[in-house]
Amino acid sequence: MILALAGGVGGARLAKGLAAVLPPEHLSIIVNVGDDFEHLGLLVCPDLDTVCYTLGGVNNAAQGWGLEGESWAFMDALSKLGGENWFNLGDRDLATHITRKAMLGRETLSAITAYFAAKLSIAHKIAPMSDDPVRSIVHTDEGELAFQHYFVRRRAEPRFRSIRFDGVEQARPSPAFMAALDNPELEAIIICPSNPVLSIAPILALPGIRARLDSRKVPIVAVSPFIGGKAIKGPAAKIMDEIGIATTPAGLASYYGGLLDGIVIDHADSATDEPNIALHVTDTLMRDISDQRRLASETILFARSLIR
Ligand code: GDP
Ligand code: CA
């Protein structure tokens, strides 16, 4: 079985491909919760919702988050009341959030996520990295900003200095994450092309996770989120620049600090530099489900070729 680590959009795209080529019992998708926050009395889980909506085929692909066919009557009314309108929640999306709020306290985030996945007819396992709250706080040249204040309210414009994950020391990996890590059938770990600093680092910051990943002695392969040294969308390249790490294969390998056995990179990055680990060079832009399937299959085959 394959363990995939994912953030939002980039993670969801590859996860959808993995789910298309692997049977449900052979894949576990573990998702970042560092972006989660309490807003308007609700718990917002952007990456979990993006992965569920994408695998369920109901995501708004053009917008990059939320549901397709969304309407905004709630946001309009909220604005007229002078409410906090910097974070958009569509009318349909609001139903997800109110349902999650109603279940919280009785159910874990893992159980709530499994419930949503079942409602979307997703057979594959999607789980949060942890059922305990972990909140990313970004240290910028404007001071410390709660994650969504940095990312959405300030559009990731302030200069990034560092990030910390509030609550991570007390957080335990979710049952599905532990089960995948302990699974004797675990073949490989795939780090999806998510933002390394914002989406993958919180997962790796869980106590004991890096050591556990290392000790499994299965190939760990990342799919680069960079094409031609640039992010498809979002601030991944800007942040790497601001922390002084190149958006190249070697830069990515050094960011992950010896964790990786291989990287899947785009043809556009093949001539940049040579990291000290295995590379698989292909077309990494996932425009549609056939790209997602192809990249997922190639990544699995590449990871299997690295089995020690
Ligand atoms: P977020 O949580 O919604 O910001 O999403 P992620 O962290 O999962 O993913 C953001 C990253 O996905 C960005 O750095 C993009 O470059 C990357 N990304 C998005 N689409 C693709 C794609 O089709 N191919 C590759 N290789 N990367 C992608
Ligand atoms: Ca995210």
Side-chain angles (χ1 to χ4, degrees):
M1 60 96 46
I2 303 279
L3 166 59
L5 308 182
V9 177
R13 284 183 170 181
L14 187 68
K16 185 158 182 169
L18 291 167
V21 300
L22 292 168
E25 64 278 15
H26 287 182
L27 176 65
S28 192
I29 304 159
I30 299 299
V31 182
N32 172 43
V33 299
D35 300 14
D36 294 10
F37 77 128
E38 283 73 22
H39 185 61
L40 307 173
L42 303 169
L43 174 64
V44 183
C45 304
D47 290 354
L48 277 171
D49 288 351
T50 296
V51 172
C52 287
Y53 291 166
T54 302
L55 268 76
V58 296
N59 63 302
N60 185 324
Q63 189 172 261
W65 51 271
L67 288 161
E68 66 182 351
E70 192 55 281
S71 58
W72 304 96
F74 166 72
M75 287 308 298
D76 289 347
L78 185 67
S79 297
K80 288 194 180 109
L81 291 173
E84 279 198 68
N85 62 358
W86 57 273
F87 191 90
N88 283 310
L89 287 173
D91 300 335
R92 286 171 175 74
D93 203 13
L94 199 53
T96 300
H97 288 83
I98 287 171
T99 304
R100 179 159 45 221
K101 178 71 187 178
M103 292 174 80
L104 272 169
R106 284 187 284 123
E107 305 274 12
T108 62
L109 189 57
S110 290
I112 297 168
T113 305
Y115 177 80
F116 285 140
K119 288 286 178 200
L120 290 166
S121 305
I122 301 168
H124 294 77
K125 185 93 197 160
I126 301 172
M129 64 189 235
S130 177
D131 286 325
D132 303 316
V134 176
R135 300 290 178 263
S136 297
I137 312 280
V138 182
H139 183 216
T140 74
D141 60 354
E142 297 179 4
E144 281 202 338
L145 297 173
F147 182 80
Q148 296 297 347
H149 286 253
Y150 163 75
F151 195 74
V152 174
R153 199 170 201 170
R154 292 290 295 112
R155 298 165 200 277
E157 282 163 14
R159 195 183 169 82
F160 180 102
R161 293 198 201 283
S162 62
I163 189 165
R164 65 184 172 81
F165 310 111
D166 240 17
V168 79
E169 291 83 7
Q170 295 81 263
R172 287 148 303 166
S174 63
F177 198 2
M178 286 307 288
L181 288 169
D182 290 341
N183 191 328
E185 310 279 299
L186 182 67
E187 277 185 279
I189 296 156
I190 295 178
I191 300 182
C192 291
S194 289
N195 187 314
V197 180
L198 303 183
S199 295
I200 301 299
I203 306 177
L204 299 178
L206 283 167
I209 283 299
R210 264 182 183 267
R212 187 80 191 105
L213 291 173
D214 250 347
S215 72
R216 277 311 308 258
K217 304 280 176 239
V218 299
I220 306 181
V221 167
V223 177
S224 174
F226 304 115
I227 299 183
K230 296 189 171 66
I232 313 298
K233 197 175 177 236
K238 175 179 183 280
I239 293 171
M240 295 291 266
D241 285 346
E242 288 167 351
I243 58 176
I245 296 179
T247 53
T248 59
L252 198 63
S254 85
Y255 178 76
Y256 283 120
L259 186 70
L260 305 181
D261 299 296
I263 312 181
V264 177
I265 63 166
D266 195 86
H267 290 290
D269 301 285
S270 62
T272 45
D273 58 19
E274 283 284 318
N276 238 345
I277 54 172
L279 292 179
H280 176 75
V281 184
T282 185
D283 178 3
T284 66
L285 182 63
M286 293 172 277
R287 301 165 204 86
D288 52 27
I289 182 66
S290 76
D291 285 340
Q292 291 165 345
R293 291 181 73 111
R294 180 192 42 77
L295 186 58
S297 305
E298 286 186 36
T299 303
I300 295 166
L301 288 176
F302 173 55
R304 284 183 182 146
S305 77
L306 300 176
I307 287 173
R308 289 166 275 182

